[in-house]
Amino acid sequence: MAEKNPTVRARILVAAVTCIERAGLEATGIREIAREAGVNSAAINYYFGSKERLIALALESTLDQAFGEVLTDFDTQRASGLEVLPALAKVLEDYLVHSTRYPRIAHAHLHDALVKQSYEGPAVKRLNAFLEELTLRVAPAAPHLSAEELRITLAQLWAPLLTLGMLPGLFSAFLPLDFTQEADRRAWVQRLLKGLER
């Protein structure tokens, strides 16, 4: 049996993410992924064992980008000298840009929670672990909030970001914001952060 090529494996993972974002989770099939990756359909099973395993690994890689990079970026902003709330504002603005650019990926992450009311999936677990870590980082800037109040505030802050990540046009008829525009992002994030201020 030939040795598995890590470049081909990585190309298939990228193709899966691309197909999910283009067509949505339900409409993404083995043939589309294989075509996007420039491989035959048998390569999916050879490298991943099943479509389900491939999709899980592809979405896991985007979770690393979604939550792991937010914390890393926050820590980088803090190390550069920004106070907690300005650093948080910066990473939230960046998150808003990226999440609203890839709504089908955001939806795929929370598919089981949205469709099946199942909250045991990797995205929900990562979200909650992420919020625990974020709470530790933000707590020094909000000593006026109890631990419970801070957790409530961060959940309230993150809920609309998740909603807009999946449904970026949801409020466009009511409130025509364009999150590709820095002024719109900044105004949205500044309003979200009001709950953390004294």
Side-chain angles (χ1 to χ4, degrees):
M1 181 176 235
E3 194 172 314
K4 293 182 179 176
N5 184 334
T7 304
V8 173
R9 186 178 193 282
R11 198 168 72 228
I12 294 169
L13 279 168
V14 169
V17 171
T18 300
C19 290
I20 292 166
E21 180 49 41
R22 184 172 48 228
L25 188 60
E26 291 84 8
T28 297
I30 293 284
R31 286 189 202 114
E32 292 79 20
I33 296 170
R35 189 175 317 122
E36 182 71 29
V39 299
N40 63 37
S41 296
I44 306 295
N45 284 331
Y46 177 71
Y47 282 93
F48 297 95
S50 68
K51 173 189 167 187
E52 292 74 22
R53 176 82 175 132
L54 167 59
I55 297 297
L57 289 171
L59 291 176
E60 185 177 316
S61 73
T62 60
L63 280 175
D64 290 339
Q65 294 168 356
F67 297 121
E69 288 184 13
V70 171
L71 293 173
T72 300
D73 291 349
F74 178 83
D75 292 342
T76 300
Q77 294 296 327
R78 291 285 289 131
S80 75
L82 279 181
E83 295 295 323
V84 171
L85 292 183
L88 183 58
K90 174 75 174 108
V91 297
L92 291 180
E93 287 180 38
D94 290 346
Y95 180 85
L96 196 53
V97 169
H98 297 300
S99 67
T100 57
R101 188 180 299 155
Y102 304 107
R104 288 190 177 105
I105 295 296
H107 187 273
H109 284 155
L110 297 173
H111 179 269
D112 286 352
L114 292 165
V115 175
K116 301 175 185 176
Q117 296 293 298
S118 171
Y119 301 100
E120 300 301 317
V124 172
K125 290 177 182 176
R126 285 290 294 274
L127 170 63
N128 284 283
F130 161 77
L131 287 173
E132 290 290 347
E133 288 293 321
L134 188 62
T135 300
L136 297 174
R137 287 165 167 83
V138 172
H144 57 287
L145 297 176
S146 70
E148 182 180 358
E149 289 170 329
L150 179 57
R151 294 167 73 85
I152 289 168
T153 301
L154 289 176
Q156 289 174 326
L157 185 149
W158 213 261
L161 293 174
L162 289 174
T163 301
L164 289 171
M166 292 181 290
L167 306 164
L170 185 63
F171 302 111
S172 59
F174 176 71
L175 184 63
L177 292 175
D178 179 359
F179 291 119
T180 64
Q181 300 300 311
E182 184 177 355
D184 286 353
R185 283 193 313 273
R186 182 155 294 143
W188 183 270
V189 167
Q190 290 305 317
R191 186 70 187 144
L192 284 177
L193 291 176
K194 292 286 184 198
L196 290 171
E197 296 173 356
R198 189 178 296 269

